[in-house]
Amino acid sequence: MTAGPPIDELHFDEAPNVDSVPGPKTRSLLEKQEEIDSSAVAYPNDIPIAFEEGKGATVRDADGNTYIDLFAGIGVLNVGHANPYVLEAVHEQADKFVHTVDFPTEARLELIEKLDEIAPDGLQGNNRVVFGGPTGSDAIEASIKLAKYNTGGDGLIAFRGAYHGATTGAMSVTSNKKFKGHYTPLLSDVVHAPYPHPFRQDKTPQEAVDHALEEVQAIVEDPYGGLANLAGIIVEPIQGEGGIVTPPEGFLQGLRDIADDNDVVLVFDEIQSGLGRTGEWWASDWAGVAPDAMTSAKALGGVGFPLSATMYREELDTWGSGDHAGTYRGHVVGMRAGTRAIEYIQEHDLLAHARELGEYIQGRLREAADGTERLADIRGKGLFIGAEFVDADGRPDGDVVDAIQQYCFERGVLVWTAGRHGNVLRFLPPLVLTYDLAETALDVVVEAIEHEIAEAKRAA
C-alpha cells in the first residue's frame, strides 16, 4: 500500500501569501492570550502569529495569511502538518481507544517494532523501549534514572551549550544558567564539559575534538577530576538550542570509548535531531556510533501528538515492575501516528530528500555569505541547519538575526533562532518541504540577510 500522497500534494497553494501582519484577528487573539494565559508564554514574543491551520510545510494564520514553515514546531512535524496518511490512522484509532497506561495494544507493539527497525547499528535487535510522558524531558529523566539504576553511581557529565529539557533532572544537565538559575539546587554532581565547536573556539576540528575528549577523560579518570561516582554521559549528537553545533568526526566515537573503558552509560539525546531530521534516522548514524540509551520525542508523535521514548540496550533492562512509571505511557493515538510517520518517511525516501534539500539550502546560504563576514558559519546535516551571524568585530550578533526573522515573517516565511547569544538562524523545516517551496523561502531568507546586514552596516 502506498503510504499517502507524494510530498508535492501536501501543501497550501500559493504560499507564501501574506497581507500586513499581524492581522486584526491575530492581534485580538494575541491580546486575549496576554490577558488570560501564563506569563511564561514565549514564542509569540518573537513572532506575533496566531495559527489557524496547517498543511505540509505551510501554515495559515487566523487572518488567512499563508506562510512557508521552516520551523515545524521546533522540529516536531517531520512529515508535515496534517499529513493525511498519518491522520487516517489517527481518526481510526481515536474512535476506538486513546489511553491505556502500559497495557499492550497493537499500536504500542507496532511502534516498538518499528523503532527497532530504524534503530542505530548496535541497538537494532538488542534494545528495549520505555515510553514516557508527553515531552522530551520525560525521556531524559528516564535515561538518567536508567544510568543511575544500572551503575549505582549518581554523577553525570553533560556539555556546555546543551539543552535537554525543563524538568529537574533535564535542567540539571542543561547548561543554560539563566534558564535554570531560579530553580536551584538541582541534581548534585553534574559537570559540563566543553562541546567541540571549532568556529566559536577558534580551533581546527581535530583540536576541538581533542580538547573536548581530554576534558571528559580527565573528569572521568583523573583521581582529582572531581566527580566521584559517575553514572553516565549525556550528549546531543548535534546540539540544537546551542546553535546547531555539529561536532567534527571522532567526538562521538571518543565518548563511546571513554564510556566503555569506565563502565558508564552513554546517552544520546536525539529528541530534536532524530527521526530523519538530519537525513539519517538518527544524527549519531552519521558517525556510526551507537549509544547505550537514546531519547526520542518531538517528531515521535507523528503529527504533533505528545509522546516520548527512551531506547536502551537490552542488558540495561534491569528494572523491576513499576521501577519507572508514568500515567501517559500509553498514548495509543500518538503511537499509531508515530508508526505511520516512520512509514511515510520510508515510503517517500525522505532521508535522501532531507540530505539533498539540506545541501541546496546550505548552498544558498553560502552564496549569501559571499562578500560578507557577517554570515560567518553555516553548518548542520540534512534539514537541521544553522547560520551564525557576527558583527563587524566578530562578536555574536543576535540583533541582526532577530531582524532577519522579522523580515521573513512579514513576507510569509517562518524561521527561528538558536545559539547561546541568539545569533544563529535555525532551519528545521518539515522533511516534506519541496524544492519549489524551499527555493521560494530561500529567496526571501537571502533577501532578508542582504537587507539586514546592509542596514546594520549603515547603523554602525
Side-chain angles (χ1 to χ4, degrees), residues 2 7 19 33 41 48-50 66 82 111 133 163 166 177 188 208 212 223 228 236 273 275 342 387 394 432 450:
T2 301
I7 64 172
D19 200 349
Q33 181 180 45
V41 165
I49 189 170
T66 305
L111 181 55
Y163 178 83
K177 293 186 284 188
S188 59
E236 296 162 275
S273 59
L275 290 163
I342 293 169
V432 299
E450 293 171 348

Side-chain angles (χ1 to χ4, degrees), residues 224-247:
Y224 282 73
L227 199 56
N229 297 301
L230 183 63
I233 301 169
I234 183 165
V235 63
E236 296 162 275
I238 296 176
Q239 286 190 339
E241 296 292 327
I244 321 299
V245 182
T246 309

Side-chain angles (χ1 to χ4, degrees), residues 93-136:
Q93 183 62 55
D95 287 338
K96 293 167 57 178
F97 211 74
V98 173
H99 172 71
T100 66
V101 193
D102 58 5
F103 291 101
T105 61
E106 287 186 1
R108 180 189 189 89
L109 301 180
E110 285 173 359
L111 181 55
I112 290 172
E113 290 175 339
K114 204 67 178 173
L115 287 171
D116 181 66
E117 182 182 320
I118 65 172
D121 290 341
L123 275 184
Q124 195 172 87
N126 175 37
N127 73 83
R128 290 289 184 266
V129 177
V130 60
F131 292 105
T135 74

